[in-house]
Amino acid sequence: GTNFQLKPHSKIPKPQKPLLVVVLDGWGQAADDEYNAISRAETPCMDSLRESRPEKWMLLKAHGTAVGLPSDDDMGNSEVGHNALGAGQVVSQGASLVDKSLETGQLFNLDGWKYLEPAAKEHTLHLIGLLSDGGVHSRYDQLWLLIQGAAERGVKRIRVHTLTDGRDTEDGTSVKFMEQLQKDLKSLEGKGCDARIASGGGRMITTMDRYESDWNVVKRGWEAHVLGEAPNKFKDPVDAIKTLKKPKEAGGKPVSDQWIPPFVIVDDDGQAVGTIQDGDAVAIFNFRADRVVELSKAFEYKDFKQFDRKRYPDVRFAGMMQYDGELKLPKHFLVPPPAISRTTGEFLARSGVSTFACSESQKIGHVTFFWNGNRAAPFDSKLETFHEVPSDQNIPFNEKPAMQSAKITALGIEALKSGKYDQVRLNFPNPDMVGHTGDLEATISACSTVDKCVKELLEAVEEVGGSWLVTADHGNAEDMVQRDKKTGKPLMADGQPRILTSHTLNPVPVAIGGPGLAKGVKFRTDLKEPGLANVGPTIINLLGFEAPDNMVPTLLSA
Ligand code: 3PG
Ligand code: CO
């Protein structure tokens, strides 16, 4: 077994005062621009960290292969970002593993598919997930390979339940994806496979809640996908989303793909074409965990009290991956998930370091579950405190861009001053959550707010004599417009800039400081392509230990 006891650092003594670690979710670095919400915001604190501190501020790769994604065309995201930060290692992520398994056809030889196959052939195969090419939770090409593979293996009836995106993709693209899926499914007719779209809805109000922020979201999805019940019934799915996207008032904005109300597809008699019945096979085709854990529970747990399921069909159920390794949820999965072990969290807990980790509901799992290698429980509950601040429900985050940042800041300061913790780790969701709405003005406000929070926190560190590390998990707010890949110029549609709601490929800053920082500690300059994973061993060093040898190099020279 691994010896998790870390060795004292040869030069950096164990600090007497706490280390503050702040993750600014979705805070990337890009040139000043009118669509850069960060450069447009009032950010005196973050500006001062960047300017005139050349040895204590640098940029990190936060996308693509540096964080275990299939290619450098893949934008970063919070799951892989926090995995890398906390693991101190680059791990092949879900997207890469599913790609490989589908490319080789291996997926269809594994236990998960073998479990689904008889039910899928005898009855219906239902596929539920995000209709997108974002590569954050799912990808269309993977869905299509899965469908084709199932049809080739003799599945005769397929029903797809689609959550529309507009968050990891440009808003409005749901129409194009739905048309594509409809056309692709139709092409299976000739091969004797009856494949149809059965239900759907926008991801922010249908099915894809996370960290139990609002179970009603999942309830709506259950009703649409399983029961065939929704306020909106259509015969044609493309017609459904085109209609549901129409502005609520004349001259208003179209409804965002993320917020399309749930709908059910019905036949000429008004009967839902794809309710989920006893004996059916059901698979979720998202590879990312956070937004499908709740739905998985609704399918898997006989005793389930979060909402009244009304009817609980006896199905064979599997996830694209296992979404929670400790809960073994779901029991059956198509592709084995990445194994992330020997993380900074585990080493530090086993070496007696106490930690306070805090964010609001929307991101609490990011600084705990993802940070600790997809593990929800503390390694040592005596040493680790996880504090969740409840997020607002039912309001789009651009309407309240400050979100719960004041509470998170206050809790962070309290923890720093309490003398109880060696490490205080916080995530501020604002640049990301507000950035995803595509609302530039609100995102600017979110970034100004977060900058003030960082300032207050650094002052508290100053007061107690501690040290700090400020970084981010991926870019988002620093670029709010779609750009021509070659020229970098904003893309326009009907004289309007095409808003970018998704994450970016940009690097993120990392900065260190504080009175408790050991003398002579600074960033090294010899690493070729430093990325988020290098932060893990850096934190271990700042806490006075040598990093273990399974990790990538530290960012520090000491
Ligand atoms: C989401 O789930 O909200 C987005 O798809 C990705 O955002 P995150 O990776 O920042 O959580
Ligand atoms: Co995000």
Side-chain angles (χ1 to χ4, degrees):
T2 304
N3 177 6
F4 283 102
Q5 180 60 55
L6 293 164
K7 291 196 194 68
H9 197 275
S10 62
K11 295 198 187 121
I12 305 174
K14 193 163 190 264
Q16 299 305 305
K17 299 294 171 187
L19 168 71
L20 169 72
V21 176
V22 178
V23 180
L24 304 178
D25 210 291
W27 185 291
Q29 171 70 28
D32 189 16
D33 184 276
E34 66 175 302
Y35 298 105
N36 181 337
I38 296 174
S39 72
R40 293 217 21 217
E42 291 291 323
T43 56
C45 180
M46 289 300 287
D47 293 347
S48 73
L49 302 192
R50 185 179 63 244
E51 290 152 11
S52 69
R53 300 174 69 259
E55 293 173 329
K56 300 211 169 88
W57 183 94
M58 68 188 289
L59 289 175
L60 299 173
K61 263 187 96 174
H63 78 287
T65 51
V67 287
L69 291 169
S71 89
D72 282 344
D73 297 330
D74 292 305
M75 61 195 171
N77 71 70
S78 293
E79 172 189 39
V80 303
H82 285 75
N83 275 169
L85 289 166
Q89 309 153 56
V90 181
V91 190
S92 267
Q93 287 289 343
S96 310
L97 301 174
V98 173
D99 279 344
K100 250 175 249 154
S101 198
L102 280 166
E103 256 161 46
T104 57
Q106 180 64 8
L107 184 145
F108 295 102
N109 300 326
L110 296 176
D111 291 349
W113 175 257
K114 293 285 174 229
Y115 170 72
L116 290 183
E117 193 169 24
K121 282 182 168 164
E122 187 110 347
H123 298 266
T124 301
L125 172 65
H126 296 269
L127 298 169
I128 308 175
L130 184 67
L131 190 62
S132 169
D133 66 356
V136 175
H137 294 270
S138 67
R139 277 210 332 264
Y140 186 80
D141 59 333
Q142 294 180 348
L143 169 65
W144 180 229
L145 283 172
L146 188 60
I147 293 172
Q148 280 174 297
E152 277 161 26
R153 280 161 185 82
V155 174
K156 295 273 174 286
R157 196 164 183 271
I158 299 175
R159 293 293 179 263
V160 190
H161 304 265
T162 52
L163 289 329
T164 50
D165 194 354
R167 186 170 175 87
D168 303 324
T169 54
E170 184 180 1
D171 187 30
T173 50
S174 62
V175 178
K176 160 186 106 179
F177 284 119
M178 200 62 91
E179 285 168 346
Q180 180 74 41
L181 178 60
Q182 197 175 32
K183 188 175 124 225
D184 287 342
L185 293 180
K186 212 158 177 72
S187 74
L188 297 176
E189 245 170 45
K191 298 181 180 140
C193 180
D194 158 30
R196 298 190 62 176
I197 296 153
S199 71
R203 57 178 284 177
M204 290 305 277
I205 46 170
T206 321
T207 307
M208 282 176 62
D209 182 43
R210 68 174 163 205
Y211 307 140
E212 312 201 0
S213 299
D214 184 359
W215 274 101
N216 283 318
V217 173
V218 190
K219 179 167 183 273
R220 278 180 216 116
W222 181 269
E223 286 167 355
H225 315 319
V226 178
L227 309 177
E229 290 170 10
N232 306 284
K233 297 199 160 71
F234 289 87
K235 283 192 200 159
D236 177 78
V238 174
D239 180 34
I241 55 172
K242 281 189 177 161
T243 308
L244 294 170
K245 273 188 77 62
K246 289 214 174 104
K248 291 209 184 92
E249 60 236 49
K253 275 199 202 146
V255 171
S256 145
D257 290 352
Q258 302 183 48
W259 295 86
I260 291 176
F263 60 87
V264 167
I265 304 303
V266 293
D267 60 18
D268 292 336
D269 304 325
Q271 295 297 313
V273 302
T275 57
I276 298 179
Q277 298 294 337
D278 287 350
D280 288 353
V282 179
I284 294 178
F285 61 86
N286 286 15
F287 44 76
R288 172 159 155 175
D290 58 348
R291 293 192 182 274
V292 283
V293 162
E294 290 169 52
L295 181 67
S296 300
K297 287 181 177 167
F299 273 108
E300 191 124 314
Y301 294 164
K302 228 179 177 170
D303 290 313
F304 172 88
K305 303 208 166 58
Q306 306 303 335
F307 57 84
D308 179 7
R309 289 174 295 192
K310 291 189 203 154
R311 184 167 63 76
Y312 179 52
D314 182 9
V315 298
R316 291 202 171 200
F317 173 69
M320 181 65 99
M321 317 216 88
Q322 187 162 61
Y323 301 122
D324 187 325
E326 289 144 275
L327 297 177
K328 303 266 177 281
L329 178 82
K331 247 190 254 105
H332 300 273
F333 47 87
L334 298 179
V335 178
I340 311 181
S341 60
R342 308 178 77 209
T343 59
T344 59
E346 181 153 26
F347 277 105
L348 290 170
R350 306 277 182 242
S351 303
V353 170
S354 55
T355 296
F356 177 80
C358 173
S359 187
E360 60 177 276
S361 312
Q362 286 291 339
K363 299 278 182 182
I364 182 65
H366 291 38
V367 272
T368 57
F369 178 82
F370 287 147
W371 190 276
N372 288 330
N374 303 339
R375 176 194 160 96
F379 296 100
D380 183 337
S381 52
K382 284 200 206 78
L383 287 170
E384 294 154 277
T385 304
F386 297 165
H387 191 114
E388 174 181 349
V389 179
S391 287
D392 295 312
Q393 291 187 351
N394 297 323
I395 70 162
F397 294 103
N398 54 328
E399 286 174 21
K400 198 180 157 193
M403 300 176 67
Q404 300 301 324
S405 55
K407 281 198 190 131
I408 296 169
T409 306
L411 285 160
I413 292 174
E414 193 186 311
L416 286 166
K417 293 187 174 171
S418 71
K420 281 200 261 178
Y421 303 103
D422 301 314
Q423 183 189 200
V424 173
R425 184 167 67 238
L426 311 175
N427 172 302
F428 286 101
N430 314 55
D432 183 62
M433 295 301 291
V434 186
H436 278 301
T437 67
D439 183 333
L440 179 60
E441 291 307 321
T443 310
I444 293 171
S445 154
C447 296
S448 302
T449 301
V450 159
D451 189 76
K452 280 201 203 95
C453 297
V454 175
K455 176 167 179 281
E456 283 176 41
L457 283 158
L458 299 195
E459 282 166 3
V461 173
E462 195 76 30
E463 232 177 273
V464 301
S467 53
W468 49 261
L469 179 146
V470 177
T471 190
D473 60 339
H474 58 74
N476 181 339
E478 80 290 355
D479 199 3
M480 299 290 291
V481 76
Q482 309 258 339
R483 291 175 189 278
D484 183 297
K485 287 222 169 67
K486 283 205 193 98
T487 64
K489 289 225 175 76
L491 295 174
M492 308 293 278
D494 307 323
Q496 292 296 318
R498 282 168 58 180
I499 295 303
L500 181 71
T501 53
S502 69
H503 300 167
T504 68
L505 304 175
N506 287 320
V508 300
V510 59
I512 49 172
L517 201 64
K519 267 222 169 69
V521 169
K522 57 181 184 186
F523 285 141
R524 58 202 278 188
T525 49
D526 60 331
L527 292 176
K528 268 217 188 86
E529 280 207 313
L532 293 181
N534 300 90
V535 171
T538 305
I539 290 173
I540 290 182
N541 292 164
L542 291 173
L543 287 162
F545 299 103
E546 294 287 351
D549 53 18
N550 65 307
M551 294 190 183
V552 299
T554 177
L555 296 170
L556 301 182
S557 84

